[in-house]
PDB file of all heavy atoms in Angstrom:
ATOM      1  N   ILE A 651     -37.873  16.791 -65.189  1.00 96.00           N
ATOM      2  CA  ILE A 651     -37.816  17.358 -66.543  1.00 96.00           C
ATOM      3  C   ILE A 651     -37.904  16.255 -67.593  1.00 96.00           C
ATOM      4  O   ILE A 651     -38.670  16.354 -68.564  1.00 96.00           O
ATOM      5  CB  ILE A 651     -36.530  18.181 -66.726  1.00 96.00           C
ATOM      6  CG1 ILE A 651     -36.600  19.463 -65.888  1.00 96.00           C
ATOM      7  CG2 ILE A 651     -36.311  18.523 -68.199  1.00 96.00           C
ATOM      8  CD1 ILE A 651     -35.317  20.248 -65.843  1.00 96.00           C
ATOM      9  N   PHE A 652     -37.128  15.192 -67.399  1.00 96.00           N
ATOM     10  CA  PHE A 652     -37.143  14.093 -68.362  1.00 96.00           C
ATOM     11  C   PHE A 652     -38.486  13.364 -68.378  1.00 96.00           C
ATOM     12  O   PHE A 652     -39.062  13.116 -69.431  1.00 96.00           O
ATOM     13  CB  PHE A 652     -36.022  13.098 -68.054  1.00 96.00           C
ATOM     14  CG  PHE A 652     -34.723  13.432 -68.713  1.00 96.00           C
ATOM     15  CD1 PHE A 652     -33.725  14.097 -68.014  1.00 96.00           C
ATOM     16  CD2 PHE A 652     -34.486  13.096 -70.034  1.00 96.00           C
ATOM     17  CE1 PHE A 652     -32.521  14.417 -68.622  1.00 96.00           C
ATOM     18  CE2 PHE A 652     -33.286  13.404 -70.653  1.00 96.00           C
ATOM     19  CZ  PHE A 652     -32.299  14.067 -69.941  1.00 96.00           C
ATOM     20  N   LYS A 653     -38.979  13.028 -67.195  1.00 94.00           N
ATOM     21  CA  LYS A 653     -40.174  12.191 -67.101  1.00 94.00           C
ATOM     22  C   LYS A 653     -41.456  12.919 -67.507  1.00 94.00           C
ATOM     23  O   LYS A 653     -42.316  12.343 -68.183  1.00 94.00           O
ATOM     24  CB  LYS A 653     -40.328  11.654 -65.676  1.00 94.00           C
ATOM     25  CG  LYS A 653     -39.391  10.510 -65.314  1.00 94.00           C
ATOM     26  CD  LYS A 653     -39.644  10.056 -63.884  1.00 94.00           C
ATOM     27  CE  LYS A 653     -38.796   8.864 -63.514  1.00 94.00           C
ATOM     28  NZ  LYS A 653     -39.195   7.636 -64.212  1.00 94.00           N
ATOM     29  N   PHE A 654     -41.594  14.170 -67.075  1.00 93.00           N
ATOM     30  CA  PHE A 654     -42.870  14.861 -67.236  1.00 93.00           C
ATOM     31  C   PHE A 654     -42.890  15.907 -68.349  1.00 93.00           C
ATOM     32  O   PHE A 654     -43.968  16.316 -68.780  1.00 93.00           O
ATOM     33  CB  PHE A 654     -43.272  15.505 -65.911  1.00 93.00           C
ATOM     34  CG  PHE A 654     -43.436  14.501 -64.803  1.00 93.00           C
ATOM     35  CD1 PHE A 654     -42.459  14.365 -63.826  1.00 93.00           C
ATOM     36  CD2 PHE A 654     -44.551  13.673 -64.748  1.00 93.00           C
ATOM     37  CE1 PHE A 654     -42.603  13.429 -62.801  1.00 93.00           C
ATOM     38  CE2 PHE A 654     -44.696  12.740 -63.733  1.00 93.00           C
ATOM     39  CZ  PHE A 654     -43.727  12.617 -62.765  1.00 93.00           C
ATOM     40  N   LEU A 655     -41.725  16.348 -68.810  1.00 94.00           N
ATOM     41  CA  LEU A 655     -41.696  17.355 -69.875  1.00 94.00           C
ATOM     42  C   LEU A 655     -41.182  16.797 -71.202  1.00 94.00           C
ATOM     43  O   LEU A 655     -41.774  17.056 -72.260  1.00 94.00           O
ATOM     44  CB  LEU A 655     -40.823  18.542 -69.439  1.00 94.00           C
ATOM     45  CG  LEU A 655     -41.344  19.359 -68.248  1.00 94.00           C
ATOM     46  CD1 LEU A 655     -40.373  20.494 -67.931  1.00 94.00           C
ATOM     47  CD2 LEU A 655     -42.742  19.916 -68.532  1.00 94.00           C
ATOM     48  N   ILE A 656     -40.089  16.043 -71.162  1.00 93.00           N
ATOM     49  CA  ILE A 656     -39.471  15.570 -72.413  1.00 93.00           C
ATOM     50  C   ILE A 656     -40.043  14.224 -72.849  1.00 93.00           C
ATOM     51  O   ILE A 656     -40.384  14.027 -74.017  1.00 93.00           O
ATOM     52  CB  ILE A 656     -37.939  15.472 -72.245  1.00 93.00           C
ATOM     53  CG1 ILE A 656     -37.367  16.836 -71.837  1.00 93.00           C
ATOM     54  CG2 ILE A 656     -37.301  15.013 -73.561  1.00 93.00           C
ATOM     55  CD1 ILE A 656     -35.865  16.832 -71.591  1.00 93.00           C
ATOM     56  N   PHE A 657     -40.157  13.271 -71.916  1.00 93.00           N
ATOM     57  CA  PHE A 657     -40.624  11.924 -72.265  1.00 93.00           C
ATOM     58  C   PHE A 657     -41.816  11.492 -71.400  1.00 93.00           C
ATOM     59  O   PHE A 657     -41.749  10.464 -70.714  1.00 93.00           O
ATOM     60  CB  PHE A 657     -39.489  10.902 -72.107  1.00 93.00           C
ATOM     61  CG  PHE A 657     -38.268  11.199 -72.922  1.00 93.00           C
ATOM     62  CD1 PHE A 657     -37.096  11.638 -72.306  1.00 93.00           C
ATOM     63  CD2 PHE A 657     -38.277  11.038 -74.301  1.00 93.00           C
ATOM     64  CE1 PHE A 657     -35.961  11.906 -73.058  1.00 93.00           C
ATOM     65  CE2 PHE A 657     -37.150  11.307 -75.058  1.00 93.00           C
ATOM     66  CZ  PHE A 657     -35.989  11.743 -74.439  1.00 93.00           C
ATOM     67  N   PRO A 658     -42.915  12.240 -71.420  1.00 92.00           N
ATOM     68  CA  PRO A 658     -44.040  11.906 -70.533  1.00 92.00           C
ATOM     69  C   PRO A 658     -44.811  10.652 -70.937  1.00 92.00           C
ATOM     70  O   PRO A 658     -45.480  10.038 -70.099  1.00 92.00           O
ATOM     71  CB  PRO A 658     -44.934  13.143 -70.632  1.00 92.00           C
ATOM     72  CG  PRO A 658     -44.662  13.684 -72.003  1.00 92.00           C
ATOM     73  CD  PRO A 658     -43.188  13.440 -72.229  1.00 92.00           C
ATOM     74  N   ASP A 659     -44.739  10.276 -72.199  1.00 92.00           N
ATOM     75  CA  ASP A 659     -45.566   9.171 -72.690  1.00 92.00           C
ATOM     76  C   ASP A 659     -44.797   7.871 -72.933  1.00 92.00           C
ATOM     77  O   ASP A 659     -45.316   6.940 -73.544  1.00 92.00           O
ATOM     78  CB  ASP A 659     -46.266   9.580 -73.999  1.00 92.00           C
ATOM     79  CG  ASP A 659     -47.162  10.794 -73.804  1.00 92.00           C
ATOM     80  OD1 ASP A 659     -47.827  10.862 -72.757  1.00 92.00           O
ATOM     81  OD2 ASP A 659     -47.175  11.675 -74.688  1.00 92.00           O
ATOM     82  N   VAL A 660     -43.559   7.804 -72.473  1.00 94.00           N
ATOM     83  CA  VAL A 660     -42.778   6.582 -72.662  1.00 94.00           C
ATOM     84  C   VAL A 660     -43.349   5.478 -71.774  1.00 94.00           C
ATOM     85  O   VAL A 660     -43.423   5.634 -70.549  1.00 94.00           O
ATOM     86  CB  VAL A 660     -41.295   6.808 -72.321  1.00 94.00           C
ATOM     87  CG1 VAL A 660     -40.515   5.497 -72.439  1.00 94.00           C
ATOM     88  CG2 VAL A 660     -40.702   7.860 -73.243  1.00 94.00           C
ATOM     89  N   PRO A 661     -43.788   4.363 -72.373  1.00 95.00           N
ATOM     90  CA  PRO A 661     -44.437   3.312 -71.581  1.00 95.00           C
ATOM     91  C   PRO A 661     -43.453   2.496 -70.752  1.00 95.00           C
ATOM     92  O   PRO A 661     -42.313   2.289 -71.130  1.00 95.00           O
ATOM     93  CB  PRO A 661     -45.095   2.439 -72.652  1.00 95.00           C
ATOM     94  CG  PRO A 661     -44.210   2.602 -73.845  1.00 95.00           C
ATOM     95  CD  PRO A 661     -43.749   4.036 -73.807  1.00 95.00           C
ATOM     96  N   ASP A 683     -47.569   2.734 -65.288  1.00 92.00           N
ATOM     97  CA  ASP A 683     -47.854   2.678 -66.727  1.00 92.00           C
ATOM     98  C   ASP A 683     -46.865   3.465 -67.588  1.00 92.00           C
ATOM     99  O   ASP A 683     -46.346   2.951 -68.580  1.00 92.00           O
ATOM    100  CB  ASP A 683     -49.269   3.191 -67.004  1.00 92.00           C
ATOM    101  CG  ASP A 683     -50.331   2.335 -66.349  1.00 92.00           C
ATOM    102  OD1 ASP A 683     -50.172   1.103 -66.335  1.00 92.00           O
ATOM    103  OD2 ASP A 683     -51.313   2.907 -65.840  1.00 92.00           O
ATOM    104  N   PHE A 684     -46.608   4.737 -67.224  1.00 93.00           N
ATOM    105  CA  PHE A 684     -45.792   5.605 -68.075  1.00 93.00           C
ATOM    106  C   PHE A 684     -44.685   6.297 -67.267  1.00 93.00           C
ATOM    107  O   PHE A 684     -44.389   5.900 -66.159  1.00 93.00           O
ATOM    108  CB  PHE A 684     -46.689   6.642 -68.758  1.00 93.00           C
ATOM    109  CG  PHE A 684     -47.683   6.028 -69.710  1.00 93.00           C
ATOM    110  CD1 PHE A 684     -48.990   5.799 -69.308  1.00 93.00           C
ATOM    111  CD2 PHE A 684     -47.298   5.659 -70.993  1.00 93.00           C
ATOM    112  CE1 PHE A 684     -49.913   5.221 -70.177  1.00 93.00           C
ATOM    113  CE2 PHE A 684     -48.205   5.071 -71.871  1.00 93.00           C
ATOM    114  CZ  PHE A 684     -49.522   4.859 -71.461  1.00 93.00           C
ATOM    115  N   HIS A 685     -44.062   7.306 -67.871  1.00 93.00           N
ATOM    116  CA  HIS A 685     -42.936   8.036 -67.262  1.00 93.00           C
ATOM    117  C   HIS A 685     -41.775   7.086 -66.983  1.00 93.00           C
ATOM    118  O   HIS A 685     -41.181   7.105 -65.907  1.00 93.00           O
ATOM    119  CB  HIS A 685     -43.353   8.734 -65.968  1.00 93.00           C
ATOM    120  CG  HIS A 685     -44.578   9.583 -66.104  1.00 93.00           C
ATOM    121  ND1 HIS A 685     -44.655  10.639 -66.983  1.00 93.00           N
ATOM    122  CD2 HIS A 685     -45.793   9.522 -65.473  1.00 93.00           C
ATOM    123  CE1 HIS A 685     -45.845  11.206 -66.895  1.00 93.00           C
ATOM    124  NE2 HIS A 685     -46.551  10.540 -65.990  1.00 93.00           N
ATOM    125  N   SER A 686     -41.425   6.285 -67.967  1.00 94.00           N
ATOM    126  CA  SER A 686     -40.412   5.246 -67.771  1.00 94.00           C
ATOM    127  C   SER A 686     -38.983   5.765 -67.865  1.00 94.00           C
ATOM    128  O   SER A 686     -38.093   5.260 -67.181  1.00 94.00           O
ATOM    129  CB  SER A 686     -40.610   4.131 -68.803  1.00 94.00           C
ATOM    130  OG  SER A 686     -39.731   3.056 -68.558  1.00 94.00           O
ATOM    131  N   PHE A 687     -38.756   6.783 -68.721  1.00 96.00           N
ATOM    132  CA  PHE A 687     -37.369   7.203 -68.986  1.00 96.00           C
ATOM    133  C   PHE A 687     -37.078   8.566 -68.370  1.00 96.00           C
ATOM    134  O   PHE A 687     -37.812   9.520 -68.581  1.00 96.00           O
ATOM    135  CB  PHE A 687     -37.138   7.280 -70.497  1.00 96.00           C
ATOM    136  CG  PHE A 687     -35.717   7.618 -70.871  1.00 96.00           C
ATOM    137  CD1 PHE A 687     -34.775   6.616 -71.024  1.00 96.00           C
ATOM    138  CD2 PHE A 687     -35.336   8.930 -71.074  1.00 96.00           C
ATOM    139  CE1 PHE A 687     -33.464   6.929 -71.371  1.00 96.00           C
ATOM    140  CE2 PHE A 687     -34.028   9.243 -71.424  1.00 96.00           C
ATOM    141  CZ  PHE A 687     -33.095   8.239 -71.571  1.00 96.00           C
TER     142      PHE A 687
END
Side-chain angles (χ1 to χ4, degrees):
I651 290 172
F652 272 98
K653 284 180 176 290
F654 300 104
L655 295 180
I656 302 178
F657 302 108
D659 300 320
V660 176
D683 297 321
F684 295 98
H685 309 301
S686 186
F687 184 88

